[in-house]
Amino acid sequence: MHIHKVIEPAKLNSIHIHHTSPVYQVYYDYLKERNSIEATEFTRFFCQRSRPSKLEDQLALTEFLYMNDFFDELEWHLNENYMHEDIVKLYRIILDRKKRPLSTNDIKSIEELCFEHPSLKCLHLFLLVYAHYDIKKYAGMDKFTEEIQTALFTINEPLFHYYMKLRFDELTFQHYWKANHLVLARKFAYKYINAGLAPRKQIMMHHNLALCYSFENYDAAMDYAEKTINIAETNGYSHASQVTRDHTIPFIAAFHQKSEHITSNDPTENAHLLLSRGQRKEAIDILSTLPSLTPFQQAYLGLAERNLQLLRKAKNRFINEYNDLFFAQLPDYYMKRVLKVV
């Protein structure tokens, strides 16, 4: 399929799309003639020179810049007087979230916002879901799924609609992953990866897939972890590469007890690695000094101490505090290991 077809609205969606933004038309035409990287870069240059006045055109431009990681250009446009104040309001929160996760108080403030325009309403709903995910309330999607699906059918510009659908695919992956419906989760992950988005988003989804396979398939999990590192290092995202090396790879290796040549600079995952090698005392020494334990740390300490009660507490916290049925399996696996030796 020609890559320009990817951003075309489906026939069902095209019924309600009756405005084509200049940035959509430019991007579409470049995708016809060039590869996706070149088309994206040339469209970026177009956006730098654009000063759209219509709200739909501004939304298409800002979303294109955000979804392709052109944050400097997005900041520049948000600082210009011609930008609609509601667009500025929403994208300021979205950009600030990159520096600091949203909090419970932020959710209250975001809930108080109100927008008339259908596209702004849709983006607002996504922001509410992101806020719930930031405070680790992974059932946040349940509350808004129907509203978002309805809102997607009210967007009247094709590029903004395309990116909102991608946002929906990403959140649907997260929803199914945390609900432990892995076949459905992976379906949306693959769809998202194949959309040819910016490296940062490719890194995020490959990393999540590594974790998504972490319990059932060691080789697949490690393969996605290595792909995460390759994409990160190729595109200058050293922090993402380091997180994968210090947290994700050690976690997978320790769980499968294949940690002989694996190291970590993170004390918790280092304790997990020690534990996988049978060095229980050393792991307990590290974990018992932590002032408060996350559910992961409780699970590691429960395994180290062969403490079934602590493992049950970890499981309950994954479920009740995080609504995370996927990682709630970790204490279950470790309870089985404890029961084998006691």
Side-chain angles (χ1 to χ4, degrees), residues 125-126 129 133 139-152 168 171-172 175-176:
L125 288 168
F126 278 112
V129 178
Y133 278 29
M141 184 76 170
D142 298 351
K143 186 178 177 182
F144 301 105
T145 299
E146 194 172 325
E147 282 185 86
I148 290 174
Q149 287 177 319
T150 302
L152 287 171
F168 186 72
L171 286 178
T172 306
H175 168 75
Y176 283 129

Side-chain angles (χ1 to χ4, degrees), residues 144-333:
F144 301 105
T145 299
E146 194 172 325
E147 282 185 86
I148 290 174
Q149 287 177 319
T150 302
L152 287 171
F153 280 100
T154 65
I155 297 169
N156 65 348
E157 194 285 323
L159 192 60
F160 190 77
H161 181 265
Y162 170 69
Y163 286 127
M164 289 300 105
K165 278 181 62 189
L166 284 178
R167 285 181 182 267
F168 186 72
D169 288 345
E170 178 191 357
L171 286 178
T172 306
F173 159 76
Q174 290 278 351
H175 168 75
Y176 283 129
W177 177 28
K178 296 303 181 179
N180 203 30
H181 299 308
L182 301 185
V183 173
L184 287 168
R186 289 165 192 159
K187 173 187 169 185
F188 281 93
Y190 303 146
K191 186 178 173 186
Y192 189 83
I193 283 172
N194 291 330
L197 283 173
R200 184 174 60 90
K201 293 176 176 58
Q202 292 281 345
I203 291 164
M204 176 274 297
M205 192 55 80
H206 279 85
H207 177 259
N208 286 344
L209 275 171
L211 292 172
C212 197
Y213 279 102
S214 58
F215 295 143
E216 68 181 83
N217 191 322
Y218 171 84
D219 291 332
M222 282 299 191
D223 183 53
Y224 277 112
E226 290 297 337
K227 285 177 181 174
T228 302
I229 291 170
N230 289 338
I231 300 168
E233 292 184 348
T234 301
N235 293 280
Y237 289 90
S238 57
H239 177 70
S241 174
Q242 199 59 48
V243 166
T244 308
R245 292 183 191 281
D246 279 341
H247 296 268
T248 312
I249 287 176
F251 173 80
I252 297 163
F255 176 79
H256 287 276
Q257 296 176 298
K258 296 182 178 182
S259 61
E260 186 180 349
H261 303 294
I262 306 294
T263 59
S264 174
N265 291 316
D266 176 69
T268 296
E269 286 308 324
N270 187 40
H272 197 197
L273 290 167
L274 289 168
L275 190 53
S276 74
R277 298 171 192 142
Q279 296 174 262
R280 290 172 51 225
K281 183 182 181 303
E282 292 88 340
I284 291 168
D285 287 344
I286 294 170
L287 295 167
S288 59
T289 61
L290 298 173
S292 60
L293 298 179
T294 67
F296 285 99
Q297 292 163 346
Q298 274 188 330
Y300 300 166
L301 187 58
L303 178 61
E305 294 180 342
R306 295 175 180 168
N307 185 331
L308 293 174
Q309 186 178 2
L310 196 55
L311 286 163
R312 290 189 194 100
K313 282 182 181 177
K315 179 179 179 177
N316 289 336
R317 287 185 66 196
F318 276 120
I319 295 170
N320 298 323
E321 293 180 25
Y322 294 177
N323 304 113
D324 190 335
L325 299 182
F326 176 79
F327 281 116
Q329 297 174 100
L330 181 65
D332 278 336
Y333 282 114

Side-chain angles (χ1 to χ4, degrees), residues 19-120:
H19 176 83
T20 301
S21 67
V23 66
Y24 172 81
Q25 196 60 60
V26 167
Y27 191 32
Y28 185 84
D29 290 343
Y30 278 133
L31 285 170
K32 279 183 176 179
E33 302 166 1
R34 302 175 181 274
N35 63 48
S36 60
I37 295 172
E38 289 179 345
T40 302
E41 198 62 32
F42 279 110
T43 308
R44 175 190 194 177
F45 295 143
F46 171 81
C47 291
Q48 288 173 337
R49 300 189 302 271
S50 295
R51 306 290 182 273
S53 56
K54 291 184 178 178
L55 189 141
E56 283 85 357
D57 297 343
Q58 291 184 10
L59 278 169
L61 180 143
T62 51
E63 187 67 4
F64 171 83
L65 292 173
Y66 179 78
M67 293 294 274
N68 288 286
D69 289 356
F70 300 141
F71 302 124
D72 290 342
E73 288 85 349
L74 178 54
E75 282 278 6
W76 189 90
H77 281 285
L78 294 178
N79 288 328
E80 292 298 297
N81 291 332
Y82 72 84
M83 290 295 292
H84 194 285
E85 63 178 347
D86 285 342
I87 294 177
V88 174
K89 193 182 297 179
L90 282 171
Y91 279 94
R92 280 270 166 246
I93 299 171
I94 289 168
L95 285 176
D96 288 345
R97 179 176 174 258
K98 285 176 67 264
K99 304 167 191 169
R100 178 188 64 83
L102 297 170
S103 65
T104 304
N105 287 335
D106 291 324
I107 292 178
K108 292 174 185 173
S109 301
I110 295 167
E111 283 174 339
E112 291 170 1
L113 298 175
C114 185
F115 302 98
E116 292 299 320
H117 193 280
S119 296
L120 290 170

